[in-house]
Amino acid sequence: MDVKLDPSRDDLPLLANTGHILVKHYVLDLDVDFKSQIIEGSIVLFFEPGNRFKKQSSSIEETCQSESNEACKFRMPEPCHNPVTHTSTFSSKMGYDGFSVCGKGVKDTSGKDGNHDNWEQASGISSSKYCCDTGNHGSEDFLLVLDCCDLSVLKVEEVDVAAVPGIEKFARSPTLTVVSEELRNQIIRELVTLPADRWREQLDYYARCSQAPGCGELLFDTDTWSLQIRKTGTQAATDFPHAIRIRYRTKPQGRSVTWTSDQSGRPCVYTMGSPINNRALFPCQEPPVAMSTWQATVRAAASFVVLMSGENSAKPTQLHEGCSSWHYYVTMPMPASTFTIAVGSWAEMKPETCLSNDLATERSLSSSEADFRYVGVCGHMEYPCRFQNASATTQEIIPHRVFAPVCLKGACQETLLRLIPPCLSAAHSVLGTHPFSRLDVLIVPANFPSLGMASPHIIFLSQSTLTGMSHLCGTRLCHEIAHAWFGLAIGARDWTEEWLSEGFATHLEDVFWARAQQLAPREAQEQQELRACLRWRRLQDEVRNSPEEMQVLRPNKEETGCVSDSGSSVIKHGLNPEKAFMQVHYLKGYFLLRFLAKRLGDDTYFSFLRKFVHTFHGQLILSQDFLQMLLENIPEEKRLELSVENIFRDWLESSGIPQPLQRERGAAAACGLARRVSAEVAKWIRVNRRPRKRKRRETEEVFEKLLPDQLVWLLECLLEQKTLKPRTLQSLERTYHLPEQDAEVRHRWCELVVKHRYTKAYKDVERFLQEDQGLRLTLVRRKERTQTIPPPEATEDAEAPAWRSFLRSHQIKNNFPPSFTEVHFTR
């Protein structure tokens, strides 16, 4: 192999040789076993050989030239990719008795013959011991390389697709009358290139082919990060079998899957965007250019519900007593990293009464919104595209379902169910056609290490979003809905450019949420300015307390998007544990887009954004694709020295806070909502300074009611005070009912409790650590910016629990990063 990597580094390898051969479709056939915490079965891969991406991916001629102030050469990018959130996963290795297990037992594969080898190296990445050529030239056998980690591969074989009844109609050459490798490959070439209007027939034949018998085992080898497959005597990718079946099983400790229990104590399993994506769920091609479709059949005990990234709202099929089967499919080519599955005892939540706005509606477009109805052929590879469907373009609210443990039914009905329709409608009013035809929303277990995650057709939400008022739930839901356009339908060609996903979603969540609340323009502006002030504080904190090299949004600079000749690449800082705590790509990306929107004006900017979405949906982009098209839509008088090179220099390729942002925030006056908070802070400081016995003539302070974002600002300001007295904290808690507020507010409250050793509220810290793990990660940051937990003997309350011991025990149970020997609370 042509990539030599040191596993001790923090960079993530993508080893699949996509420059030589591409997976066009996956067919998964899996059994979920909760007793052994293993998913086992087979995956059939259908290939299309060729190096059509090689020239584009390895060329640097499209990047900006440092000696020129002209914009980068604009080009049509490749299909889309979703850069996923880099966070740690958590697992709970527990046995569950009383649950029936459906599927195959665990096989003993310790005995191997000479046809295949599943030797796993513990020391990192090596070249294949077969020393095969990974390209389509030379005298050695062609080597197929797939991204693979934490999997037990049992068998790899070629699939005899020619044995499928009726498949002969795909054999276009009359000279091929004998079943041969050439005939089988020709059949697959015809199948994978069927036109989009024959997608049902295509999926049917994919399914039939996946059940065809094998026609010869293939040699394989695994190392830490890859699965390598070859067929003796096959020297070119074009001659390599175009359909192969891999039988495998996951490992309980695999980093792509999380085995745990839900809030009702029932077993469940889910996948999420961990640093290694899905390569510990199935062997796949991870590089962004590897766009594919998929279909999957998953069997589990009949008491479980299987949710998945799929276009259909699947229903269970009972196979035999105690076992059900679920089938999902996707016809829009997507990266393998976006495949998501969740299996658990979820219940579908439905509103107690049917809301009038909880229906998918169609209407005529107003003149102000008509500009997102563009006519013309889409720029992506062919698939059944909703942007070309007249009824889809006017569908404000796509069909949606909500799943959660039964114990959360009340919270879902009170908060989440009523928010989804207005949030979907708001997103449609801003960006136009929903890229996906339906949406499932799942409230994931308490150990989910984020507030949310978006995948095709499914959103994971933390239970933390359900507490307090609807503000946190609404904003997070809007953030994940925004990823349908930015991160899924339009993705980054280079995963290091995460701002193209997270920056857009952060910027759009405010816009969507204001429209969902039907705020007047002035109210919306005030709300968004307050949130900008909060993010400005967080960005300053990030920059002060993170390594400079990790503050850069485009770390590869002129080499962004480049890969090796084989198509493999390395993701900078991809395995760095610090990445899980970083928000720089969210915040700097947000402020860049806010800066550009102000320069153009909101009407012009969002009109452009709709045009951009229509032009680039279903494709992969680099930063210059967005910036170049934007600058072409800015009148000359509004550019004011704006260029792609200047934006790269000031915003994307430098650490710290961009100079244009420093000037803007320095000149900006605090908004009205922020000024009200400042007044309230002054009141609390006066209260804190008063002696225990007040003078008779002193008047009581009257505190105003504050919005959730204002409460966050208030508590952050009070965290800057050196000392707050216990009676001040007690009054603060009672005035704002802090233990009942949303998780963002309670997060700051916990910081105050720990900083000032307010032992009476330690129960709130315990609850937060146990129930709000999506935000808990932000409480374990670098020591130089933290307050440590006081030892129990230093507390005022003799009955206070031993918090240092308690938090250390949570560190073990909940998988804090091993570098943190103590738990610290960040500001």
Side-chain angles (χ1 to χ4, degrees):
M1 299 172 64
D2 62 345
V3 178
K4 302 294 189 297
L5 295 170
D6 179 359
S8 65
R9 298 189 317 186
D10 294 326
D11 294 339
L12 176 66
L14 305 179
L15 298 183
N17 52 343
T18 56
H20 303 139
I21 191 167
L22 284 172
V23 178
K24 300 299 293 181
H25 190 76
Y26 297 94
V27 178
L28 294 96
D29 188 35
L30 304 174
D31 292 282
V32 180
D33 187 337
F34 280 96
K35 281 189 175 179
S36 62
Q37 294 190 342
I38 285 174
I39 299 175
E40 182 175 9
S42 67
I43 182 170
V44 176
L45 289 70
F46 296 87
F47 295 100
E48 180 183 67
N51 56 0
R52 54 182 175 151
F53 295 110
K54 178 180 175 183
K55 182 177 180 180
Q56 290 176 310
S57 299
S58 60
S59 174
I60 310 177
E61 66 182 5
E62 299 160 341
T63 59
C64 295
Q65 302 300 315
S66 59
E67 67 271 15
S68 171
N69 288 326
E70 296 181 1
C72 302
K73 180 181 177 182
F74 180 63
R75 71 198 183 293
M76 293 299 290
E78 295 154 310
C80 106
H81 161 71
N82 172 34
V84 295
T85 306
H86 294 273
T87 52
S88 304
T89 55
F90 300 84
S91 61
S92 176
K93 297 180 181 178
M94 303 169 62
Y96 299 97
D97 296 327
F99 290 94
S100 58
V101 179
C102 174
K104 305 166 187 175
V106 178
K107 298 179 182 178
D108 180 8
T109 59
S110 57
K112 300 184 177 72
D113 57 29
N115 290 329
H116 51 80
D117 180 13
N118 195 35
W119 172 61
E120 298 185 16
Q121 302 177 27
S123 59
I125 301 164
S126 71
S127 59
S128 168
K129 69 179 182 177
Y130 297 121
C131 299
C132 299
D133 189 353
T134 63
N136 53 2
H137 57 278
S139 58
E140 300 291 342
D141 292 338
F142 170 77
L143 187 69
L144 168 68
V145 182
L146 299 174
D147 294 300
C148 175
C149 183
D150 301 338
L151 289 178
S152 294
V153 179
L154 312 176
K155 181 180 180 182
V156 181
E157 63 181 349
E158 182 177 357
V159 179
D160 187 9
V161 296
V164 175
I167 199 74
E168 59 274 5
K169 67 179 179 179
F170 295 109
R172 299 302 183 188
S173 174
T175 61
L176 297 176
T177 56
V178 179
V179 175
S180 63
E181 188 78 69
E182 187 178 357
L183 174 62
R184 287 190 288 266
N185 285 352
Q186 183 188 83
I187 289 171
I188 298 302
R189 279 195 297 269
E190 293 293 331
L191 179 58
V192 301
T193 56
L194 282 178
D197 59 0
R198 296 175 65 184
W199 64 269
R200 292 183 185 276
E201 178 187 10
Q202 187 180 48
L203 285 177
D204 178 57
Y205 274 100
Y206 277 140
R208 293 189 196 183
C209 289
S210 71
Q211 300 298 316
C215 56
E217 292 193 29
L218 302 176
L219 298 169
F220 71 89
D221 181 27
T222 61
D223 59 25
T224 304
W225 291 108
S226 70
L227 167 63
Q228 303 143 32
I229 304 169
R230 73 178 177 103
K231 180 176 181 179
T232 303
T234 299
Q235 299 178 359
T238 52
D239 300 326
F240 190 80
H242 287 16
I244 66 170
R245 181 185 294 113
I246 302 171
R247 300 191 185 277
Y248 73 97
R249 63 169 176 250
T250 64
K251 297 180 179 179
Q253 69 276 18
R255 284 166 282 178
S256 296
V257 292
T258 300
W259 298 89
T260 184
S261 56
D262 66 17
Q263 292 85 343
S264 298
R266 305 275 290 181
C268 61
V269 62
Y270 64 87
T271 62
M272 74 160 295
S274 65
I276 65 166
N277 295 326
N278 277 323
R279 71 193 72 184
L281 178 62
F282 58 90
C284 56
Q285 291 183 331
E286 286 277 21
V289 296
M291 307 298 294
S292 59
T293 52
W294 62 73
Q295 60 196 103
T297 299
V298 178
R299 289 171 294 277
S303 59
F304 291 98
V305 173
V306 177
L307 302 177
M308 194 183 300
S309 303
E311 295 170 15
N312 58 314
S313 299
K315 302 294 182 182
T317 300
Q318 186 170 348
L319 300 179
H320 52 78
E321 185 176 357
C323 184
S324 295
S325 174
W326 301 70
H327 181 76
Y328 288 88
Y329 63 83
V330 164
T331 62
M332 176 181 176
M334 299 290 292
S337 60
T338 66
F339 181 96
T340 304
I341 184 172
V343 184
S345 299
W346 328 118
E348 183 175 357
M349 303 295 166
K350 296 182 179 181
E352 294 179 348
T353 58
C354 183
L355 302 176
S356 59
N357 63 345
D358 195 17
L359 300 172
T361 60
E362 295 183 7
R363 61 176 178 84
S364 299
L365 296 171
S366 66
S367 58
S368 63
E369 296 174 332
D371 55 359
F372 64 68
R373 296 285 305 277
Y374 298 100
V375 179
V377 178
C378 297
H380 52 71
M381 66 180 69
E382 188 177 11
Y383 66 84
C385 179
R386 285 175 53 82
F387 285 78
Q388 295 297 314
N389 184 320
S391 61
T393 61
T394 58
Q395 191 177 32
E396 293 183 21
I397 304 170
I398 56 176
H400 52 276
R401 305 181 297 180
V402 174
F403 292 87
V406 175
C407 64
L408 294 178
K409 179 180 179 180
C412 287
Q413 289 180 331
E414 182 179 346
T415 304
L416 179 59
L417 284 168
R418 64 183 182 84
L419 287 176
I420 296 177
C423 290
L424 287 172
S425 180
H428 179 272
S429 71
V430 176
L431 295 180
T433 308
H434 288 280
F436 302 103
S437 59
R438 70 173 197 95
L439 176 65
D440 283 340
V441 180
L442 171 66
I443 302 299
V444 283
N447 69 341
F448 185 70
S450 173
L451 284 179
M453 186 184 79
S455 299
H457 316 283
I458 187 169
I459 287 174
F460 289 172
L461 281 184
S462 166
Q463 66 176 23
S464 298
T465 63
L466 300 178
T467 58
M469 301 169 63
S470 61
H471 177 76
L472 179 59
C473 187
T475 54
R476 195 67 204 190
L477 184 61
C478 287
H479 182 100
E480 303 307 336
I481 288 173
H483 276 312
W485 287 269
F486 292 95
L488 295 174
I490 300 174
R493 200 177 101 191
D494 188 311
W495 285 358
T496 60
E497 293 200 304
E498 293 173 86
W499 81 272
L500 289 170
S501 173
E502 299 300 352
F504 274 94
T506 304
H507 187 225
L508 288 168
E509 75 175 66
D510 293 354
V511 180
F512 291 177
W513 181 231
R515 294 208 181 193
Q517 298 171 93
Q518 298 181 341
L519 297 181
R522 181 62 183 271
E523 290 179 295
Q525 183 181 358
E526 281 278 296
Q527 184 184 83
Q528 292 170 21
E529 186 58 43
L530 176 63
R531 293 176 67 77
C533 291
L534 284 169
R535 291 183 180 122
W536 169 246
R537 292 172 64 91
R538 293 170 194 168
L539 180 58
Q540 289 176 304
D541 190 57
E542 285 274 317
V543 169
R544 283 193 300 265
N545 298 284
S546 61
E548 286 193 7
E549 65 271 14
M550 297 187 69
Q551 300 173 18
V552 179
L553 302 192
R554 195 170 180 261
N556 291 335
K557 299 185 178 180
E558 69 275 3
E559 295 183 359
T560 300
C562 297
V563 298
S564 70
D565 287 344
S566 72
S568 62
S569 59
V570 175
I571 305 303
K572 198 172 183 65
H573 304 303
L575 292 175
N576 191 328
E578 285 286 304
K579 196 67 177 293
F581 302 99
M582 298 291 293
Q583 292 188 25
V584 166
H585 48 286
Y586 291 76
L587 298 172
K588 288 178 74 172
Y590 157 80
F591 277 114
L592 170 57
L593 295 171
R594 180 179 167 86
F595 167 79
L596 294 172
K598 283 189 173 182
R599 181 66 63 89
L600 272 71
D602 281 351
D603 290 343
T604 301
Y605 175 77
F606 287 107
S607 176
F608 157 75
L609 210 57
R610 289 189 288 269
K611 181 179 179 181
F612 179 80
V613 164
H614 191 275
T615 302
F616 283 94
H617 69 273
Q619 302 174 56
L620 292 173
I621 64 170
L622 297 176
S623 294
Q624 55 262 44
D625 297 313
F626 170 74
L627 296 173
Q628 176 64 30
M629 185 173 177
L630 177 75
L631 293 175
E632 290 176 351
N633 283 265
I634 297 181
E636 189 64 35
E637 65 271 12
K638 290 189 176 182
R639 291 197 183 186
L640 298 178
E641 299 182 356
L642 277 183
S643 68
V644 174
E645 287 90 344
N646 291 344
I647 295 174
F648 278 174
R649 182 195 64 219
D650 295 339
W651 291 87
L652 303 182
E653 295 182 355
S654 59
S655 60
I657 297 178
Q659 286 295 327
L661 178 57
Q662 293 186 38
R663 292 193 294 268
E664 175 201 315
R665 301 310 300 177
C671 67
L673 293 176
R675 287 195 297 269
R676 285 177 55 193
V677 174
S678 298
E680 298 303 295
V681 171
K683 294 177 185 178
W684 283 107
I685 292 175
R686 288 197 297 269
V687 168
N688 191 59
R689 288 173 178 170
R690 288 174 180 169
R692 180 176 294 274
K693 292 184 178 180
R694 294 187 295 107
K695 295 180 180 179
R696 184 173 298 178
R697 294 182 180 178
E698 286 183 342
T699 58
E700 289 283 343
E701 296 284 0
V702 178
F703 298 102
E704 294 189 39
K705 185 177 180 180
L706 299 179
L707 300 171
D709 281 336
Q710 289 179 301
L711 269 177
V712 170
W713 182 292
L714 173 77
L715 297 180
E716 288 192 355
C717 290
L718 292 177
L719 274 164
E720 296 171 358
Q721 298 298 307
K722 185 176 181 180
T723 303
L724 291 181
K725 298 173 183 177
R727 57 184 172 80
T728 303
L729 293 168
Q730 184 181 37
S731 180
L732 193 70
E733 177 183 4
R734 290 176 177 174
T735 299
Y736 301 114
H737 308 286
L738 293 177
E740 286 76 52
Q741 295 291 340
D742 70 35
E744 289 280 12
V745 176
R746 288 186 286 107
H747 172 208
R748 275 72 179 180
W749 170 236
C750 288
E751 294 183 65
L752 279 171
V753 167
V754 172
K755 176 179 179 178
H756 299 290
R757 305 181 183 184
Y758 184 50
T759 57
K760 291 182 179 180
Y762 274 1
K763 62 183 183 300
D764 296 335
V765 182
E766 179 178 7
R767 174 192 165 201
F768 186 88
L769 289 170
Q770 292 174 334
E771 298 181 5
D772 297 288
Q773 296 182 32
L775 281 168
R776 167 183 54 86
L777 282 174
T778 63
L779 304 182
V780 282
R781 298 297 302 270
R782 288 158 292 281
K783 293 184 180 181
E784 65 268 18
R785 62 185 293 197
T786 60
Q787 299 289 333
T788 59
I789 301 296
E793 61 271 14
T795 64
E796 300 173 4
D797 186 354
E799 297 300 316
W803 286 102
R804 189 183 298 277
S805 175
F806 168 79
L807 291 173
R808 280 177 175 167
S809 70
H810 274 71
Q811 175 178 338
I812 297 171
K813 284 173 57 180
N814 296 323
N815 292 340
F816 280 122
S819 60
F820 296 103
T821 57
E822 294 179 346
V823 173
H824 299 266
F825 280 67
T826 178
R827 269 205 263 182

